[in-house]
Amino acid sequence: MSSPLPVETGWRKTTDICVSSAVWRLPAPAHCDHLTRDTGPEAEATLIKRVNHQSTSQEFAAAAPKLRCISCGRVSDRAGQTFRCTQCGDLVEIAYPDWKANELVRSSARLKALWRERKTSPHAADQSGVWRFRELLPGLRSLDSVVTLREGNTPVYQLQRSARLSGVDTVLTKHQGMNPTGSFKDTGMTVATSFAKEAGFRWVACASTGNTSASMAAYAARAGMQALVLIPQGKISWSKLAQALDYGALTCQLRADFDGCMRVLNEVVLRMPAYLLNSVNPYRIEGQKTVALELVEQLNWELPDHIIVPGGNLGNSSAIGKAFLEMKELGLISRLPKLSVVQAEGANPLVRMIRSKGEHLVPVEAETAATAIRIGNPASWKKALGVLKATEGAVDEVSEVEIAQAKAEIGSEGIGCEPASAVTLAGLKKLVRRGFIKPAETVVLILTGHFLKDPEFTLKFHRGELFAGGKDDSAASALLSYQRAPIVLDASADAVLAALERAENS
Ligand code: F0G
């Protein structure tokens, strides 16, 4: 069983993670125009400190959060290494009992104005599309601890062709792949690594299908912490692996799937004081909430009817749902959009559970070319289920061919995303066919990862190699018109013009 690490290794043993309350200061922009220069983590920390100390404007107490078990409701100030309830072992979430008494948080007009105002601030924390919304986040002891790559601030695009193809009037996408390391993970990572830094951890750790590890490695490097990455050997894209290596993580490829990596990591963090950065970490969930705030702000506080999110470990759907529920509680919005989760057919434990009206999730052995969501035992299924119920959303599953087609369709609109993100459009088509989404309704697809996260998938698709010789080979023939294999030609204008003519006439 687990044994504590020997003293002579020099580990700093930090077993409890404390939720602190804090006083946040608003910066005085006039003093700090130099802050926009990116001069490395240490210089940046010094600058942030200077700006905070120069600050003369409004001060306010940030939310004093508690950790609450999602099953037994036990409330505490501290979490153990695996962020599980000490009483019943289920996941904990962050709750904000002090919001009721906080005048600023209770004033939706003031909050909206403050968040808008911060957009023009030169302060690093204000330029972050996450920390800009810090009134709804757990408070650090000091703003100096913020580790930021200016995450968030992602665009909303209209997808006209996808709307036509799926039979609804308005399809928008919030592109979280436009975050600094190319995935939505950055929005959670900025919050959780800031807490890890403040708690004095030397090591942070995660199991990952690729994006979490890329993001964690980058934020750890910015914070001056060491990163331990556990990934399934041969089952993550090279681009994501390359990111973790370049950002300096100790990267271990385990002979296991993601669920196996997670199992090992849970034991590792009990045996050494590394800070767990998977989405069971409730601080990550708090950061990931901000995509919902930013989205609704970008839509001028008008709500879409539906939000569609890919489902893997089910942290992201939980986070987005939590944000909408909290916004409603605070009067920032007056109704809830329906939040639906789409899984790949080969990694569909939540869909199975809901279809069979089961009360517990039964893990599956996951298989899908959308490797980011190749997860058979999602940790946050109860949180996601709660969100589906509260928002009256749906679940659905999509095939490998449907994923590849939807990815090509999004790409053909000049947007592009990684395969796991494309389940949202594939799922939208199904939800429209089922009558769950009506033609006049507005839908937002959350694209979770950047196009360049998995170029191998895309190249195989266009070369016709993705499904060749496999069980989907014949179904994939419907995708021929989407495929654009590169043409090899002699280096002459004649050859190029002939190719152009063939393209015009095809
Ligand atoms: N989309 C992308 C691009 C992802 O990387 C992930 C998860 C998901 C969707 C699913 O989100 O797990 O919160 O339901 N990737 C994790 C990782 C598990 O390790 O990078 P979820």
Side-chain angles (χ1 to χ4, degrees), residues 184-185 208-212 311-316 372-373 375 418 420 448:
F184 71 97
K185 306 287 181 180
S208 180
T209 57
N211 280 326
T212 300
N313 217 13
L314 299 173
N316 204 29
I373 50 172
I375 295 172
E418 71 164 285
T448 45

Side-chain angles (χ1 to χ4, degrees), residues 55 270 454 470:
S55 163
L270 291 176
D454 197 351

Side-chain angles (χ1 to χ4, degrees), residues 149-157 173-187 294 414-417 421 447-453:
L149 287 166
R150 319 300 188 269
E151 52 291 313
N153 299 311
T154 57
V156 174
Y157 300 118
T173 169
K174 174 81 172 148
H175 204 327
Q176 292 295 87
M178 299 299 187
N179 268 291
T181 77
S183 85
F184 71 97
K185 306 287 181 180
D186 296 345
T187 55
E294 190 177 84
I415 303 297
C417 62
S421 307
L447 296 185
T448 45
H450 195 277
F451 173 80
L452 292 174
K453 283 286 192 173

Side-chain angles (χ1 to χ4, degrees), residues 247-268:
Y247 301 143
L250 169 61
T251 305
C252 305
Q253 295 184 287
L254 303 194
R255 289 180 207 95
D257 57 11
F258 168 82
D259 303 299
C261 292
M262 201 61 239
R263 210 169 39 244
V264 172
L265 183 71
N266 278 328
E267 189 177 334
V268 169

Side-chain angles (χ1 to χ4, degrees), residues 182-185 206-214 230-231 240 258 278-279 284-285 288 309-318 341 343 371-375 378 380 418-421 423 446-450 453:
S183 85
F184 71 97
K185 306 287 181 180
C206 73
S208 180
T209 57
N211 280 326
T212 300
S213 48
L230 304 187
I231 47 170
K240 299 175 190 177
F258 168 82
N278 278 91
S279 56
R284 263 197 52 197
I285 298 293
Q288 285 176 212
V309 189
N313 217 13
L314 299 173
N316 204 29
S317 36
S318 309
V341 175
Q343 295 192 301
T371 52
I373 50 172
R374 193 173 176 273
I375 295 172
S380 294
E418 71 164 285
S421 307
V423 301
I446 306 293
L447 296 185
T448 45
H450 195 277
K453 283 286 192 173

Side-chain angles (χ1 to χ4, degrees), residues 141-157:
R141 277 198 297 278
S142 160
L143 204 52
D144 300 346
S145 309
V146 166
V147 183
T148 175
L149 287 166
R150 319 300 188 269
E151 52 291 313
N153 299 311
T154 57
V156 174
Y157 300 118

Side-chain angles (χ1 to χ4, degrees), residues 297-313:
E297 185 190 58
Q298 284 165 314
L299 300 180
N300 206 18
W301 297 97
E302 282 181 28
L303 284 168
D305 300 297
H306 295 271
I307 310 269
I308 305 184
V309 189
N313 217 13

